[in-house]
Amino acid sequence: MGSPSYKLAAAITVPSTGEFLVVRHPRPPSPPDEEEDYRRFVDSDLYDLPSAPLAPLAGTLRSEVAIGGADSVAGRLDLSRLDVSAALDQIFDQFGLPDGMRGEWRLLKYVEEAEFGPDAGINTVYIIGSLESKLDAPQESCKWMSKESALRLLSEAKPGNDRIGQYAYIGLLNSELSSNHTTSPALPSQEYPPGITLVPMKSRTLAPFRTTNLVVVRSTNGAGGSTCSEFFASGDALLIDPGCSSQVHAELADLVNSLPKSLLVLVTHHHHDHIEGLSVVQRCNPDAVLLTHQSTMDRIGKGNWQIDYTSVTGGEKICIGNQELQVVFAPGHTDGHMGLLHVNSNTLVVGDHCVGHGSATLDSRNGGNMKDYFETTYKFMDLSPHVLIPMHGRINLWPKYMLCGYLRNRRAREASILQSIENGAQTLFDIVSKTYSDVDRKFWIPASFNVRLHVDHLNSLHKLPKDFSLENFKESCGVHFIFRWAVAYVHSRSSPAILAASALAGGLAIACALRRN
């Protein structure tokens, strides 16, 4: 997995006013003019503490910048081996501050990122310094902000308003407003926005990820009982997608036992990396209430949840103390897939509709549908979320940009699939091999699921050539595809050891396919 990288985030304050400097993040690039459909979906301004990459120093060099309190984390990090000076230069360039105003710095905190994957993570060093007085004319992209104003933007978010990023909250503000939820050291986590904690837990998920994000929602007012009105369901805590593998069921049990007994559990869909911990939740808290779609419950099975559940279809209001959430019906990945909007922070939990890296695979065997996927994506964009939380990977702070990117990629892939068909491809393998020729063959099997759904979508739009036989195509989707993929995969590897292992893997895949049929 490699070694983590580092970032430096600086809180620059004025003690006399209690304000701190934030910088507006540059927006991702706008879509080309010809993509007019996407240009109306623009994320609102995002302000955060200034930050910069923190690179290691070469050889025996040591940082010349003294950070007060750095010895408190000496067992985990040697700050003297990182180029703090270069990172500060980048930070001050963002504000246009002169060298003489740099003053003294002290360590605020050091945060090691939880294992969101697929990379080794980004650990952040937070430092704090102060100015005697506010800058008279900071650069246009910067502004002073009080903690109260920042917390209000985080916890009383309105679509389209300015947003506050995770560095400001995690580094400076979360002691001011906290859900008081802590996890054990064995379960590194991240709380952002306020009231929402992500706990990536080891699961039997697909590569390149290794974990599923368990989402924990708790009240931020410290008092029990719901403060919302006219709710469908309420509790003192909410778990979303307890899908960890048996290796960490003991840690999940500890977490569940630490939560209030008035517990709701929402499952976005039925895949094992989202439900494998349900039995642990039920054992630790038999009174927990499960919320999910009927189609999902039909596939979960009694081995995971043995008591009653409450069916949701979308639009239901959930209250967790002072936290309000709304269930969003989000078919596409599966036919019973659900999302959840955290109203207070305007944060959207998207299940497996999106992932933190790459693109999501749709499950054609359980109601996955490309038309539904497109419609759900537009539904998500119309909600104008400030933060997007996938169940695999990091949060995304540019939700509309990400969702537009998914639409562009899906449409481009569908156009490529249609072109392959028009050029004579008739079988699933022919289409996959032509359309995904630039993709490692080990990813062709999950890609084949999406190809089947794209072909169905093209058929529903009456775009398939008249000489394309849908019946013959479907017949090529089983063992025929697995066998041809296994042969192609073996030939793509040159090492004898890899060839042997690939042949074995292909044989096992064929055997599994035969058993299914």
Side-chain angles (χ1 to χ4, degrees):
M1 188 169 63
S3 301
S5 56
Y6 298 90
K7 266 207 166 184
L8 183 72
I12 302 171
T13 66
V14 176
S16 60
T17 66
E19 293 175 303
F20 62 99
L21 268 173
V22 290
V23 61
R24 186 178 65 237
H25 281 221
R27 284 196 179 96
S30 299
D33 291 339
E34 61 268 19
E35 296 183 353
E36 185 64 33
D37 185 39
Y38 304 121
R39 297 182 69 85
R40 60 192 175 98
F41 296 109
V42 179
D43 294 292
S44 59
D45 286 338
L46 174 66
Y47 288 89
D48 208 345
L49 297 183
S51 61
L54 194 53
L57 288 165
T60 59
L61 293 175
R62 293 290 186 271
S63 174
E64 297 178 356
V65 179
I67 304 295
D71 55 342
S72 65
V73 296
R76 296 187 294 152
L77 177 70
D78 184 357
L79 260 178
S80 69
R81 300 301 305 271
L82 299 173
D83 197 347
V84 177
S85 179
L88 282 174
D89 285 343
Q90 292 185 51
I91 285 173
F92 276 92
D93 283 346
Q94 297 174 39
F95 292 113
L97 293 178
D99 290 345
M101 300 184 70
R102 300 197 175 195
E104 296 181 354
W105 297 97
R106 62 182 176 85
L107 182 70
L108 196 57
K109 61 178 67 173
Y110 172 55
V111 177
E112 295 175 316
E113 187 180 42
E115 188 184 345
F116 294 111
D119 58 28
I122 304 171
N123 297 342
T124 305
V125 177
Y126 293 90
I127 60 174
I128 187 168
S130 61
L131 302 175
E132 291 185 2
S133 61
K134 292 168 61 173
L135 296 174
D136 292 331
Q139 293 188 7
E140 188 270 336
S141 62
C142 310
K143 64 180 179 180
W144 293 99
M145 184 170 289
S146 68
K147 290 184 177 181
E148 293 76 17
S149 296
L151 288 170
R152 192 158 48 247
L153 288 173
L154 280 165
S155 300
E156 301 174 17
K158 305 297 181 187
N161 282 4
D162 288 348
R163 301 177 292 146
I164 299 297
Q166 59 186 3
Y167 293 132
Y169 179 69
I170 295 172
L172 193 62
L173 302 172
N174 69 348
S175 59
E176 306 288 330
L177 176 65
S178 175
S179 64
N180 297 317
H181 172 68
T182 57
T183 57
S184 70
L187 289 176
S189 61
Q190 172 184 292
E191 184 184 356
Y192 175 84
I196 302 179
T197 301
L198 272 64
V199 188
M201 301 188 71
K202 184 176 179 61
S203 67
R204 294 189 296 144
T205 191
L206 296 176
F209 297 102
R210 297 172 294 276
T211 60
T212 297
N213 291 331
L214 173 66
V215 179
V216 185
V217 180
R218 290 194 67 176
S219 173
T220 59
N221 63 4
S226 297
T227 61
C228 315
S229 60
E230 299 180 1
F231 48 79
F232 175 81
S234 67
D236 294 331
L238 168 69
L239 291 180
I240 305 174
D241 283 6
C244 62
S245 64
S246 58
Q247 295 169 277
V248 287
H249 276 184
E251 289 83 353
L252 175 61
D254 290 342
L255 189 153
V256 174
N257 287 329
S258 73
L259 294 173
K261 290 301 179 184
S262 180
L263 177 66
L264 302 182
V265 184
L266 185 136
V267 171
T268 62
H269 62 293
H270 71 282
H271 289 158
H272 59 76
D273 57 329
H274 296 257
I275 66 167
E276 199 168 346
L278 273 179
S279 60
V280 177
V281 177
Q282 188 174 74
R283 185 178 71 248
C284 295
N285 188 344
D287 296 325
V289 177
L290 176 64
L291 309 173
T292 195
H293 192 274
Q294 176 69 56
S295 296
T296 296
M297 193 64 205
D298 290 343
R299 298 175 181 128
I300 284 178
K302 292 293 185 180
N304 291 293
W305 194 264
Q306 298 179 356
I307 56 178
D308 290 339
Y309 79 104
T310 300
S311 176
V312 290
T313 58
E316 293 86 356
K317 182 177 175 181
I318 298 172
C319 286
I320 305 297
N322 64 340
Q323 306 292 300
E324 180 181 338
L325 304 102
Q326 183 174 330
V327 180
V328 182
F329 183 46
H333 182 66
T334 66
D335 55 8
H337 192 271
M338 308 301 289
L340 194 66
L341 179 69
H342 183 254
V343 177
N344 302 58
S345 63
N346 198 32
T347 294
L348 185 62
V349 180
V350 296
D352 273 1
H353 189 86
C354 305
V355 290
H357 175 82
S359 60
T361 300
L362 279 58
D363 185 353
S364 59
R365 294 168 297 179
N366 290 289
N369 182 284
M370 197 60 66
K371 181 175 181 292
D372 289 344
Y373 188 88
F374 283 133
E375 290 177 352
T376 292
T377 304
Y378 277 110
K379 180 191 295 186
F380 283 172
M381 290 194 293
D382 286 337
L383 290 171
S384 295
H386 285 185
V387 181
L388 189 150
I389 297 179
M391 308 319 283
H392 306 286
R394 296 182 180 91
I395 64 171
N396 189 283
L397 295 173
W398 300 101
K400 291 183 182 179
Y401 179 80
M402 181 184 194
L403 292 165
C404 283
Y406 268 55
L407 286 176
R408 282 197 299 270
N409 291 340
R410 295 270 183 206
R411 285 174 172 164
R413 189 67 75 183
E414 188 160 283
S416 179
I417 289 168
L418 180 58
Q419 185 177 36
S420 296
I421 293 172
E422 290 173 340
N423 289 339
Q426 294 286 323
T427 68
L428 177 60
F429 180 82
D430 291 339
I431 297 172
V432 170
S433 62
K434 291 178 183 295
T435 307
Y436 290 85
S437 59
D438 59 337
V439 176
D440 192 314
R441 285 171 171 79
K442 68 182 179 182
F443 296 118
W444 281 12
I445 288 183
S448 72
F449 301 149
N450 283 346
V451 167
R452 295 173 67 173
L453 292 172
H454 277 298
V455 171
D456 287 342
H457 188 232
L458 288 167
N459 183 53
S460 71
L461 298 175
H462 307 291
K463 289 187 175 182
L464 292 174
K466 292 182 179 180
D467 62 348
F468 181 79
S469 171
L470 199 59
E471 182 179 351
N472 290 342
F473 169 77
K474 290 180 178 179
E475 288 179 355
S476 74
C477 292
V479 176
H480 179 274
F481 172 79
I482 294 292
F483 178 76
R484 292 189 66 186
W485 166 81
V487 172
Y489 185 73
V490 167
H491 279 293
S492 70
R493 297 316 197 239
S494 57
S495 164
I498 294 178
L499 285 172
S502 300
L504 176 60
L508 291 173
I510 293 170
C512 290
L514 288 171
R515 277 201 298 272
R516 286 197 197 100
N517 291 341

